[in-house]
């Protein structure tokens, strides 16, 4: 009886800790979704932002991150509440998350290249960095982001029966892996992507650093700011790169200690999945003076309208 009571107490403590972690993640995601939504609204309110490649890439990153945060939060809650969904719906959600998880670092790489062109090739910046080319780049980013997921899904479609799409299951990325070599292909392709992106980030950093040292005193401020931006992009990319190593470490830990595996998964989710996407508003939005002026204006206007609207009904 005492052992049974101790097990019940342990289960309650464990469940309360789980709810605290999930609740804190939910609050964190809600805050950043609000900030991202306000920044997206700011982008669409100012026509001058539509003609600037830098802001177009930034808006694309915000949209990708917001959708990713909302869907990952929903899947997190459903996963730990053990709420099932059909296999077809799970495939759709996991595919969208997989595409967005690659689209964000690819967009960061494109933004670093845009800073390289602006600082190291200022005379050709207006020619190379146009809104139409930014749109084409975003389409290319989405196409490249879909390659890995299309390979995984093609193997899944050929291996599972039709009942898989209608049967209820606890949705997770692991449900999409039917063969061990399927995961190896996905991992190899992801590592290739991030190797290329890391080389591009390193290239832009070295070039902007050289331009910063050779720049006159008038241009040093802009080149130094561009250099700090590329460094922050590199840090974001590093966090995104680590998230693709996490499943391998988690699978090893799960065989040793399941409780430790669950805690490790929370840690990985917060620091290597959420953190890189929560940094985007800080790297560009809050550091950009022009964007901050418009953000403050529409942010204050929104809160004033909300205050007057609620005050009428109190």
């Amino acid at each position: 009886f005492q052992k049974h009571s101790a097990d019940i107490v342990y289960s309650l403590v464990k469940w309360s800790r789980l709810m605290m972690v999930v609740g804190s993640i939910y609050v964190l995601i809600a805050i950043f979704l609000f900030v991202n939504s306000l920044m997206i609204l700011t982008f669409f309110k100012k026509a001058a932002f539509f003609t600037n490649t830098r802001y177009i890439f930034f808006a694309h990153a915000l949209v990708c991150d917001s959708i990713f945060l909302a869907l990952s939060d929903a899947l997190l809650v459903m996963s730990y509440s053990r709420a099932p969904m059909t296999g077809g719906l799970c495939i759709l959600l996991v595919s969208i998350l997989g595409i967005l998880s690659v689209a964000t670092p690819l967009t960061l790489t494109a933004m670093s290249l845009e800073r390289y062109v602006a600082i190291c090739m200022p005379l050709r910046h207006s020619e190379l960095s146009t809104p139409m080319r930014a749109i084409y780049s975003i389409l290319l980013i989405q196409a490249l982001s879909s390659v890995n997921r299309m390979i995984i899904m093609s193997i899944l479609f050929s291996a599972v029966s039709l009942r898989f799409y209608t049967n209820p299951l606890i949705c997770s990325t692991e449900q999409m892996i039917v063969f061990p070599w399927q995961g190896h292909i996905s991992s190899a392709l992801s590592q290739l992507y991030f190797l290329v992106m890391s080389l591009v980030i390193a290239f832009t950093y070295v070039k902007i650093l050289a331009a910063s040292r050779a720049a006159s005193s008038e241009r040093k401020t802009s080149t130094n700011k561009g250099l700090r931006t590329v460094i922050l992009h590199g840090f974001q990319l590093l966090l995104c790169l680590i998230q693709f190593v996490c499943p391998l470490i988690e699978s090893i830990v799960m065989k040793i200690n399941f409780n430790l595996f669950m805690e490790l998964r929370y840690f990985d989710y917060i620091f290597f999945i959420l953190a890189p996407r929560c940094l985007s508003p800080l790297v560009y939005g809050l550091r950009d003076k022009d964007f901050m002026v418009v953000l403050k204006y529409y942010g204050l206007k929104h809160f004033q309208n909300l205050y007057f609207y609620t005050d009428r009904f109190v």
Side-chain angles (χ1 to χ4, degrees):
F1 177 75
Q2 290 180 349
K3 185 178 183 299
H4 181 66
S5 300
D7 291 340
I8 293 175
V9 172
Y10 176 75
S11 299
L12 289 174
V13 171
K14 182 180 174 183
W15 179 254
S16 63
R17 284 182 60 191
L18 174 65
M19 289 298 100
M20 286 180 62
V21 172
V22 173
S24 60
I25 292 174
Y26 185 83
V27 171
L28 183 66
I29 290 177
I31 292 171
F32 277 97
L33 279 177
F34 173 76
V35 174
N36 285 5
S37 301
L38 194 57
M39 288 189 172
I40 293 170
L41 176 67
T42 302
F43 171 79
F44 285 107
K45 286 289 186 178
K46 195 72 173 177
F49 294 149
F50 301 162
T51 59
N52 192 310
T53 306
R54 182 159 57 109
Y55 295 118
I56 294 173
F57 282 137
F58 175 55
H60 176 251
L62 286 177
V63 171
C64 289
D65 291 344
S66 298
I67 297 173
F68 184 92
L69 289 172
L71 288 181
S72 64
D73 184 45
L75 280 182
L76 177 73
V77 172
M78 293 187 70
S79 174
Y80 290 108
S81 62
R82 312 301 293 175
M85 68 173 67
T86 59
L89 180 58
C90 181
I91 289 173
L92 177 63
L93 294 179
V94 169
S95 298
I96 294 173
L97 286 173
I99 292 170
L100 294 177
S101 67
V102 181
T104 293
L106 282 174
T107 306
L108 295 176
T109 306
M111 293 166 83
S112 296
L113 283 172
E114 189 277 332
R115 287 294 82 200
Y116 159 72
V117 173
I119 293 171
C120 300
M121 307 168 65
L123 298 179
R124 298 195 62 194
H125 182 250
S126 59
E127 174 192 349
L128 297 174
S129 185
T130 63
M132 189 54 63
R133 290 194 176 187
I135 299 299
Y136 290 151
S137 298
I138 289 172
L139 294 176
L140 179 61
I141 286 170
Q142 292 298 329
L144 290 173
S145 303
S146 304
V147 171
N148 194 344
R149 197 49 49 181
M150 288 174 64
I151 294 173
I152 296 297
M153 292 306 145
S154 299
I155 299 171
L156 177 69
F157 293 153
S158 63
V160 300
S161 64
L162 292 176
R163 287 189 302 174
F164 177 84
Y165 305 108
T166 55
N167 284 345
L169 51 83
I170 305 301
C171 187
S172 67
T173 305
E174 289 76 13
Q175 297 282 2
M176 307 298 111
I177 306 297
V178 291
F179 304 109
W181 53 266
Q182 185 184 5
H184 298 329
I185 293 174
S186 175
S187 178
L189 190 57
S190 297
Q191 290 173 22
L192 174 63
Y193 273 21
F194 281 95
L195 174 63
V196 173
M197 286 186 280
S198 299
L199 291 175
V200 171
I201 293 284
F203 169 78
T204 56
Y205 172 78
V206 171
K207 288 294 185 179
I208 294 176
L209 180 62
S212 175
R213 290 178 175 176
S216 60
S217 56
E218 291 83 5
R219 291 193 62 224
K220 271 199 178 293
T221 302
S222 63
T223 53
N224 288 337
K225 185 178 180 181
L227 188 63
R228 289 193 295 270
T229 300
V230 171
I231 292 172
L232 288 169
H233 285 334
F235 178 66
Q236 283 181 279
L237 192 63
L238 175 64
L239 294 177
C240 290
L241 176 61
I242 293 173
Q243 85 176 43
F244 287 91
V245 184
C246 290
L248 177 62
I249 300 173
E250 289 173 0
S251 63
I252 296 172
V253 173
M254 184 171 63
K255 296 175 183 178
I256 301 171
N257 189 317
F258 185 78
N259 292 330
L260 181 61
F261 159 75
M262 295 297 292
E263 293 184 1
L264 178 63
R265 202 160 204 183
Y266 293 139
F267 179 85
D268 292 342
Y269 180 75
I270 293 172
F271 287 95
F272 303 128
I273 296 179
L274 292 186
R277 285 151 184 86
C278 295
L279 281 174
S280 293
L282 304 177
V283 173
Y284 259 95
L286 301 182
R287 291 176 65 244
D288 190 284
K289 293 181 180 178
D290 295 333
F291 197 86
M292 272 301 295
V293 170
V294 183
L295 179 64
K296 286 179 180 178
Y297 173 77
Y298 285 107
L300 290 173
K301 186 177 180 180
H302 173 75
F303 281 117
Q304 286 176 352
N305 291 339
L306 182 64
Y307 172 77
F308 287 124
Y309 177 79
T310 54
D311 189 53
R312 288 174 57 187
F313 294 94
V314 174

